[in-house]
Amino acid sequence: MAIVYQKSKSLTDATLHYCPGCTHGIIHKLVAETLDELDIQGKTIAVVPVGCSVLAYNYFSCDVVQAPHGRAPAVATGVHRALPDNVVFTYQGDGDLAAIGTAEIVHAATRGENIVVVFVNNAIYGMTGGQMAPTSLPNQVTQTTPYGRDVNTAGYPVHVCEMLSTLDGVAYAERVSVHDVSHVRKAKAAIKKAFQNQLGKKGFSIVEVLSTCPTNWGLTPVEATKWLAENMMPYYPLGVYKDKTAEEAK
């Protein structure tokens, strides 16, 4: 019988621990498919911090380093400078990257570290119970903003791709989503491009992926994908925010 689909070699057989409807699993799959297609599984090192991605080392069948909360870009910098022939990527959530890890991501980006950052933005702290995150939307209800995020007291959400795209060291910054099939395909292309940039020694690449958190949003999986499309995408527009390769080709 002809094989029409196989699980990626770069994923283990471990059962995912994520909540039903969470799109972390889709993003894992896209990263793993990229490692397979570029044939770099054996030379890739992932760096995962604290948060919903804390157990990612159970799922990627490549070398994985655990980093303290927010410090994945700093750890990835050290790993890649020590092993420059290896492929290094971080897998981070919004509470990790855009809160405690803000300094690390900004300085790794401005130095132009030749790494890939996969940034999962679900607009909330997932693993720790649903508190407001740096990316929580204005008026979004969370455990710590039961009446909605008030920008007068909590400030405005952080737009990571827009911010990092202003830095000279950034080679590529794109925001994608995985809430439906067509967007999953576009997300895969962006992730693959980021890894190709690293192989081509282009510099720092980040792919921000809008993701769902049905449990902490208090929605069903279907409702969560609809909420993402109707609320997150208008506030966090999808698209390429910086692509040095494309700019140089003009």
Side-chain angles (χ1 to χ4, degrees):
M1 181 180 294
I3 296 174
V4 295
Y5 178 80
Q6 280 185 307
K7 179 181 69 65
S8 298
K9 294 183 297 181
S10 296
L11 285 178
T12 69
D13 292 327
T15 301
L16 296 179
H17 75 287
Y18 300 112
C19 299
C22 171
T23 44
H24 265 294
I26 294 173
I27 304 166
H28 282 11
K29 179 176 180 287
L30 300 183
V31 172
E33 287 179 350
T34 296
L35 301 185
D36 286 358
E37 291 170 12
L38 297 177
D39 195 24
I40 55 175
Q41 176 192 3
K43 60 185 290 187
T44 296
I45 302 169
V47 181
V48 297
V50 178
C52 287
S53 63
V54 69
L55 298 180
Y57 51 74
N58 285 332
Y59 310 131
F60 291 116
S61 57
C62 62
D63 290 328
V64 182
V65 178
Q66 184 77 49
H69 200 186
R71 315 307 180 212
V75 173
T77 294
V79 170
H80 195 263
R81 290 194 180 195
L83 301 168
D85 294 330
N86 286 71
V87 175
V88 181
F89 76 95
T90 71
Y91 188 96
Q92 302 177 253
D94 49 89
D96 173 84
L97 181 145
I100 191 170
T102 311
E104 283 75 10
I105 197 66
V106 167
H107 289 284
T110 201
R111 290 194 307 267
E113 299 294 342
N114 193 42
I115 60 174
V116 171
V117 174
V118 179
F119 168 44
V120 182
N121 177 2
N122 58 17
I124 205 163
Y125 275 93
M127 186 187 73
T128 52
Q131 303 96 320
M132 184 191 79
T135 53
S136 296
L137 303 181
N139 302 314
Q140 183 177 341
V141 173
T142 73
Q143 290 294 326
T144 50
T145 56
Y147 301 106
R149 178 176 187 162
D150 182 353
V151 297
N152 293 312
T153 55
Y156 290 90
V158 177
H159 288 72
V160 172
C161 273
E162 289 88 333
M163 176 177 67
L164 294 184
S165 66
T166 65
L167 303 176
D168 291 339
V170 174
Y172 178 59
E174 181 170 0
R175 181 181 293 126
V176 296
S177 178
V178 288
H179 70 284
D180 62 23
V181 174
S182 65
H183 285 90
V184 168
R185 289 174 176 160
K186 293 175 183 177
K188 166 69 176 299
I191 290 171
K192 189 170 184 178
K193 181 177 177 64
F195 278 94
Q196 289 171 324
N197 279 349
Q198 183 174 164
L199 292 170
K201 303 187 186 306
K202 302 295 184 181
F204 182 93
S205 294
I206 181 168
V207 178
E208 177 179 347
V209 187
L210 300 186
S211 181
T212 60
C213 187
T215 296
N216 288 302
W217 290 354
L219 301 173
T220 67
V222 172
E223 290 170 342
T225 57
K226 184 178 179 181
W227 191 89
L228 185 157
E230 294 179 352
N231 295 276
M232 289 188 72
M233 285 174 59
Y235 198 82
Y236 293 112
L238 306 185
V240 177
Y241 285 84
K242 189 169 189 178
D243 186 351
K244 276 188 177 179
T245 302
E247 293 168 3
E248 292 167 354
K250 290 180 180 179

